[in-house]
Amino acid sequence: MKEITHDKESWLALLASETWIFDLDNTLYPEKCNLFAQIDKKMGHFISQTLDLEHDEAKAVQKKYFLEHGTTLNGLMSNHGVEPKDFLDFVHDIDYSPVLRDETIDKALAELPGRKLIFTNGTVKHAEATLAQLGIAHHFDDIFDIIASDYIPKPNAAPYDKMIKQFDIDPTKAVMVEDMAKNLKYPAEVGMRTVWVKTTADWSSMGSEGGHIHHMTNDLSGWMHRLVNHEYDL
């Protein structure tokens, strides 16, 4: 899949941005690392144990809550009063070794002007472990996680607004990078430029219709390398 083609001015506008906001999972590391498969399995186990359900029933609840509440955790909190820390600690107790150091994105981030932030529906602890594996933690000024979001997940507007206020972000001079297209709608509405890292997962393409996708790639590392080296696909 090729990126959406733009004129040179649109690419230069990206490089002039003051703030870059990156999602974490399946965005800063390739989908093939498949960390989510581990997290997905752990979520199923947690639901099965907590709600005393058989495996298939637990997986059905997991999917239902993800679709209806934005995250499985939000559904468990709303419907069962689950303590979020218990859930988050359990599901992020995983093996991070499939995430490999990425020299290409490391160099691109080093050359990319502007402040860089992580905005994730996961936790700071999970983000730090992932960034350490990639070898790129030192490029980021801060991490805004699901706890900072008051457990309200993207794509709800509230966590975006809180993040924008907390970090004094000018949305018209910011870029949001995400693997879930629906999570880019609100950033575009408030004036951000958006980059969609498309994956093969069904949820990646949900909400991709409309004009809120400004740039698209299935290889963020390579895309960023070409961006900072002015190798535009015109």
Side-chain angles (χ1 to χ4, degrees):
M1 180 191 71
K2 294 183 69 177
E3 292 82 3
I4 297 173
T5 301
H6 296 275
D7 58 28
K8 185 176 180 179
E9 285 70 25
S10 68
W11 291 95
L12 293 177
L14 288 176
L15 289 171
S17 300
E18 293 179 350
T19 306
W20 284 75
I21 306 157
F22 293 86
D23 175 53
L24 178 73
D25 292 307
N26 291 332
T27 298
L28 283 172
Y29 61 82
E31 179 187 14
K32 64 184 180 183
C33 295
N34 211 15
L35 279 192
F36 187 75
Q38 295 185 58
I39 297 172
D40 181 71
K41 186 175 181 180
K42 298 277 286 189
M43 285 195 287
H45 287 165
F46 183 92
I47 294 169
S48 179
Q49 294 171 10
T50 303
L51 303 184
D52 192 24
L53 298 175
E54 295 296 327
H55 174 76
D56 289 347
E57 295 174 305
K59 297 304 289 185
V61 167
Q62 178 183 338
K63 183 176 181 180
K64 174 181 170 67
Y65 287 171
F66 172 73
L67 293 173
E68 294 181 354
H69 296 271
T71 62
T72 300
L73 171 60
N74 205 22
L76 289 170
M77 291 172 64
S78 299
N79 293 294
H80 307 282
V82 165
E83 170 57 46
K85 186 177 186 304
D86 294 341
F87 175 87
L88 292 168
D89 287 348
F90 184 86
V91 302
H92 289 135
D93 182 16
I94 60 173
D95 173 19
Y96 288 92
S97 64
V99 178
L100 303 179
R101 191 174 187 88
D102 188 337
E103 298 291 347
T104 301
I105 201 168
D106 180 30
K107 292 177 182 177
L109 286 167
E111 296 176 19
L112 187 70
R115 175 175 52 163
K116 302 165 190 73
L117 306 170
I118 300 290
F119 181 15
T120 175
N121 279 345
T123 63
V124 166
K125 183 178 179 182
H126 171 60
E128 288 176 341
T130 306
L131 294 173
Q133 283 291 116
L134 286 164
I136 60 174
H138 56 289
H139 295 297
F140 294 93
D141 295 272
D142 219 321
I143 300 168
F144 192 82
D145 72 346
I146 194 65
I147 300 171
S149 300
D150 302 314
Y151 301 104
I152 302 171
K154 297 177 280 185
N156 293 281
Y160 293 94
D161 290 337
K162 185 177 180 182
M163 178 193 62
I164 289 168
K165 182 178 181 180
Q166 179 172 321
F167 296 111
D168 193 24
I169 296 168
D170 180 348
T172 66
K173 297 178 181 179
V175 182
M176 182 80 195
V177 185
E178 257 278 357
D179 71 302
M180 296 180 66
K182 66 180 183 179
N183 291 348
L184 294 171
K185 190 172 188 300
Y186 187 72
E189 288 176 0
V190 298
M192 294 187 192
R193 303 302 296 172
T194 64
V195 181
W196 178 29
V197 183
K198 185 178 181 181
T199 74
T200 62
D202 292 342
W203 59 78
S204 179
S205 297
M206 291 173 59
S208 59
E209 303 82 6
H212 61 285
I213 305 297
H214 302 139
H215 298 265
M216 178 175 65
T217 182
N218 61 359
D219 173 21
L220 180 63
S221 182
W223 182 88
M224 288 186 62
H225 172 78
R226 291 191 296 278
L227 176 67
V228 299
N229 286 281
H230 302 268
E231 298 172 6
Y232 311 128
D233 182 15
L234 299 176

